[in-house]
Amino acid sequence: MKVAFFDSGFGGLSVLNEALHRFNGCEFIYFADTKNVPYGVKSVEQITALSLRACEFLASLNVKAIIIACNTATSAAVAKLRANLDVPIIGMEPAVKQALKISTNCILTATNATINGTKLDNLLTTLNAHERVAKLALPGLVEFAENLEFNSQNVREYLERELNRFDLKEYGSLVLGCTHFNYFKDTMREILPKNVVFIDGIDGTLRRLSEILPAIKTGQGENKISYFCSYEKCEKDEKIATLLKRLEAMREIK
Ligand code: DGL
């Protein structure tokens, strides 16, 4: 079963890593648009054009589904991608609905493009949740993650400054609305009150994948992964190995 993961950079590895725990015998393709990351500070038109090009490329590799492992690309471009491509496209939207099931108020962290996007506005309107969701753009974390900077003083100060804009005890959950933010759960955990639970969209995304491709649940044998960095095939190098190791450590943090 050949399935592609697409992200602006290496945030989407958090979705791939979880897929490696759940499924066997798959041929995964991971595409990081490393020449154009970050997407979150670009315009809707730019993000759409970049996403369409990347997904056309992935569709040409005869994948059975493309996971847009990027909330930003989903926000800006998912409708256009679905309209233009025959392959099933699974998007990722910040898991606000889930967060509001378990807490009265939540903090939604995402990129600027996701936070300012019409898709999020529509979602909050549908859920009648504008008053219950505090929005926080954390573009700095995308840069930190791409530079493999996880535990520095700069990361800590950045997160302390941004999260402390809110009266944290008023919130029961924090939505990780950008796949790059999964790398920073340890530092966030130290800053947030104990009762604040992390919510990400990874589980829902992979459940959707198994609904669309039920045979994925019964695959046997090792998974194979190929990596592409902006259309160039690349090997699992030291950077990718470091990122996957980091994600393994972050999986345990709730
Ligand atoms: N990882 C992406 C997301 O989930 C976006 C990061 C970026 O390129 O700004 O939104």
Side-chain angles (χ1 to χ4, degrees), residues 104-224:
T104 312
N105 298 316
C106 74
I107 299 174
L108 163 60
T109 62
T111 63
N112 301 68
T114 302
I115 288 206
N116 298 323
T118 319
K119 205 166 190 323
L120 178 67
D121 197 48
N122 291 343
L123 175 69
L124 297 184
T125 302
T126 309
L127 298 174
N128 194 15
H130 284 280
E131 303 298 312
R132 296 169 63 194
V133 178
K135 293 179 261 180
L136 177 63
L138 293 173
L141 292 187
V142 179
E143 303 280 345
F144 285 133
E146 292 293 324
N147 295 327
L148 302 183
E149 189 174 340
F150 303 122
N151 289 121
S152 66
Q153 192 58 27
N154 282 344
V155 169
R156 172 167 283 280
E157 281 171 11
Y158 176 72
L159 279 170
E160 272 172 357
R161 185 175 66 243
E162 295 301 327
L163 290 169
N164 285 324
R165 292 179 193 280
F166 301 101
D167 185 0
L168 296 174
K169 65 178 183 329
E170 296 300 319
Y171 299 89
S173 60
L174 181 140
V175 177
L176 297 162
C178 168
T179 49
H180 280 81
F181 297 175
N182 293 285
Y183 291 104
F184 302 94
K185 280 161 74 178
D186 54 350
T187 307
M188 287 197 219
R189 184 69 285 163
E190 283 167 23
I191 298 167
L192 294 167
K194 293 259 177 306
N195 65 300
V196 179
V197 175
F198 291 118
I199 307 281
D200 63 52
I202 298 176
D203 177 58
T205 303
L206 295 180
R207 276 196 282 118
R208 185 81 194 111
L209 177 65
S210 24
E211 273 165 30
I212 290 176
L213 302 175
I216 202 167
K217 290 185 274 189
T218 52
Q220 301 283 325
E222 289 212 348
N223 292 310
K224 285 202 305 188

Side-chain angles (χ1 to χ4, degrees), residues 9-29:
F10 288 111
L13 285 181
S14 53
V15 190
L16 171 67
N17 192 47
E18 196 53 41
L20 293 172
H21 281 273
R22 290 189 194 196
F23 307 121
N24 296 306
C26 293
E27 215 181 315
F28 291 129
I29 295 173

Side-chain angles (χ1 to χ4, degrees), residues 14-142:
S14 53
V15 190
L16 171 67
N17 192 47
E18 196 53 41
L20 293 172
H21 281 273
R22 290 189 194 196
F23 307 121
N24 296 306
C26 293
E27 215 181 315
F28 291 129
I29 295 173
Y30 186 87
F31 183 103
D33 197 0
T34 43
K35 289 202 174 127
N36 294 299
V37 66
Y39 279 13
V41 291
K42 293 183 168 58
S43 70
V44 170
E45 291 71 24
Q46 287 172 312
I47 301 165
T48 303
L50 291 168
S51 304
L52 189 57
R53 184 172 171 229
C55 290
E56 276 169 352
F57 168 74
L58 291 170
S60 77
L61 302 179
N62 294 318
V63 295
K64 294 270 180 275
I66 300 175
I67 295 182
I68 311 298
C70 177
N71 295 262
T72 306
T74 302
S75 164
V78 77
K80 185 103 185 204
L81 297 176
R82 289 193 176 124
N84 282 270
L85 298 166
D86 282 335
V87 61
I89 305 278
I90 300 170
M92 281 188 89
E93 222 179 357
V96 177
K97 190 172 174 184
Q98 219 183 315
L100 294 180
K101 273 189 197 152
I102 60 150
S103 57
T104 312
N105 298 316
C106 74
I107 299 174
L108 163 60
T109 62
T111 63
N112 301 68
T114 302
I115 288 206
N116 298 323
T118 319
K119 205 166 190 323
L120 178 67
D121 197 48
N122 291 343
L123 175 69
L124 297 184
T125 302
T126 309
L127 298 174
N128 194 15
H130 284 280
E131 303 298 312
R132 296 169 63 194
V133 178
K135 293 179 261 180
L136 177 63
L138 293 173
L141 292 187
V142 179

